[in-house]
Amino acid sequence: MAASVIAPQNTATDDDLSDLIGYNMKRVYSLLQTDLVPLLAGFKLRAVSFSALSVIVNAPGVNQTQLAAALNIERSNLVQIIDELVSLNLIERKPVKGDRRRHALMPTPEGITTFAQAKQAITDQEQAFFAILTAEDHKSLHRILAQLRNRP
Amino acid sequence: MAASVIAPQNTATDDDLSDLIGYNMKRVYSLLQTDLVPLLAGFKLRAVSFSALSVIVNAPGVNQTQLAAALNIERSNLVQIIDELVSLNLIERKPVKGDRRRHALMPTPEGITTFAQAKQAITDQEQAFFAILTAEDHKSLHRILAQLRNRP
DNA sequence: TATTGTTATACTCTATAACTATA
DNA sequence: TATAGTTATAGAGTATAACAATA
């Protein structure tokens, strides 16, 4: 059959993909990222460095292997993230008693306050983002995602 | 103050980050991707090429600018995706009547059946993934994500 | 031998600018 | 002048392998 000439299509949507939860989640996550990236940039942080700072503030003395496991990222990729946080004076690498291979990652006072401020800012931004939901749907979304993320 | 030696921390979690819906969503989406990528690889597809195929099957004759807008991706990045689908014989670039700049993207018969099979496989996989939820929570998650993704 | 942190590297995804051909 | 498709390229993000120091 020879190549035919086609009349132009004037509508195109991704409606069929909306049947898939994963696709909807991708699009929503992308919207969230669009807000989050400039917010964290105001603290000179990226999403991944904010996450690392969170773990370090909540578990002072954690080492890089533990941190990589908690965040589900590669140890090798963590090196640069830790370097960033150190150069921002938000954390320090300290020697560990009894094992000279490890670094104990300790938040600085500035790291503790910066983390608190950034987390509050993200929380406020999420409140605004999810304000189109009913209070019940907002809570349900949080609960359901937490349940899925902690699946056995 | 001199650098002190720190006792090792034996626990480290991301519990504090679980307060944030965005972080939970990232982790859940990552789990979904882990399942999706090998599934689509069985069809020689990536997530983005599957998405493009979906729009083309549902709007035959769509051009690349329309498709990029529907998927929220750059036209420039779409070129390779279209090339992939063409080389898999799932779609064709056809001339458009009245505008020689545009390509009408048409699914082949193989493209139509491959899309149907891939979509069914993803749907089945999502059913399994979300089976730990109650039927009501499963529906709520879908509805809430669709609502957020279509926000004004 | 195994573990910790590190380096180097490659691969994917995405964003931007500039080009061509057509309108 | 503007639009559609394309090319080239650069920047993230991420994954893998291999290494030195230490256990």
Side-chain angles (χ1 to χ4, degrees), chain B residues 42-59:
Chain B
F43 295 94
K44 301 196 193 332
L45 291 171
R46 297 179 291 150
V48 70
S49 55
F50 167 79
S51 300
L53 180 59
S54 168
V55 175
I56 296 165
V57 166
N58 285 283

Side-chain angles (χ1 to χ4, degrees), chain B residues 91-111:
Chain B
I91 67 168
E92 289 181 300
R93 285 181 174 103
K94 298 269 200 176
V96 168
K97 188 174 181 177
D99 191 338
R100 295 203 301 166
R101 294 173 302 181
R102 303 186 192 181
H103 300 158
L105 303 174
M106 300 293 292
T108 63
E110 186 183 343

Side-chain angles (χ1 to χ4, degrees), chain A residues 66-77:
Chain A
Q66 291 169 318
L67 177 54
L71 296 176
N72 199 32
I73 62 179
E74 295 297 321
R75 276 180 308 155
S76 59
N77 292 328

Side-chain angles (χ1 to χ4, degrees), chain A residues 31-44:
Chain A
L31 292 172
L32 275 172
Q33 282 285 101
T34 301
D35 289 350
L36 181 66
V37 169
L39 177 74
L40 286 176
F43 296 93
K44 302 197 192 339

Side-chain angles (χ1 to χ4, degrees), chain A residues 1-14 16-33 47 50-52 54-55 58-63 66-67 69-72 92 94-98 102 104 106 115 119 122-123 126 128-134 136-138 140-152, chain B residues 1-14 16-33 47 50-52 54-55 58-63 66-67 69-72 92 94-98 102 104 106 115 119 122-123 126 128-134 136-138 140-152:
Chain A
M1 185 173 68
S4 50
V5 176
I6 307 293
Q9 168 82 41
N10 48 25
T11 64
T13 68
D14 59 355
D16 194 63
L17 292 166
S18 298
D19 296 344
L20 301 172
I21 290 180
Y23 181 77
N24 287 287
M25 195 178 294
K26 182 197 186 82
R27 296 298 293 259
V28 173
Y29 183 68
S30 171
L31 292 172
L32 275 172
Q33 282 285 101
F50 168 78
S51 301
S54 169
V55 175
N58 285 283
V62 64
N63 68 49
Q66 291 169 318
L67 177 54
L71 296 176
N72 199 32
E92 291 180 296
K94 298 270 199 176
V96 168
K97 187 174 179 175
R102 302 186 192 181
M106 300 293 294
F115 168 69
K119 177 156 182 207
I122 298 172
T123 302
E126 285 201 349
F129 184 89
F130 294 110
I132 64 169
L133 300 179
T134 66
E136 188 185 347
D137 278 352
H138 188 167
S140 294
L141 177 62
H142 198 161
R143 171 180 56 77
I144 293 168
L145 290 175
Q147 184 180 346
L148 290 168
R149 175 248 180 287
N150 292 315
R151 59 179 25 228
Chain B
M1 185 173 70
S4 50
V5 176
I6 307 295
Q9 169 81 42
N10 49 25
T11 63
T13 69
D14 60 354
D16 194 64
L17 291 166
S18 297
D19 297 343
L20 301 172
I21 291 180
Y23 181 77
N24 287 288
M25 195 178 294
K26 182 197 186 82
R27 295 298 293 260
V28 173
Y29 183 68
S30 172
L31 292 172
L32 274 172
Q33 282 285 101
F50 167 79
S51 300
S54 168
V55 175
N58 285 283
V62 64
N63 67 49
Q66 292 169 317
L67 178 53
L71 296 176
N72 198 34
E92 289 181 300
K94 298 269 200 176
V96 168
K97 188 174 181 177
R102 303 186 192 181
M106 300 293 292
F115 168 68
K119 178 158 183 204
I122 298 173
T123 301
E126 285 202 348
F129 184 89
F130 294 111
I132 64 168
L133 301 179
T134 66
E136 189 186 348
D137 279 352
H138 188 166
S140 295
L141 177 62
H142 198 159
R143 172 180 56 76
I144 294 168
L145 290 174
Q147 185 180 346
L148 290 168
R149 176 249 180 287
N150 292 315
R151 60 183 17 232

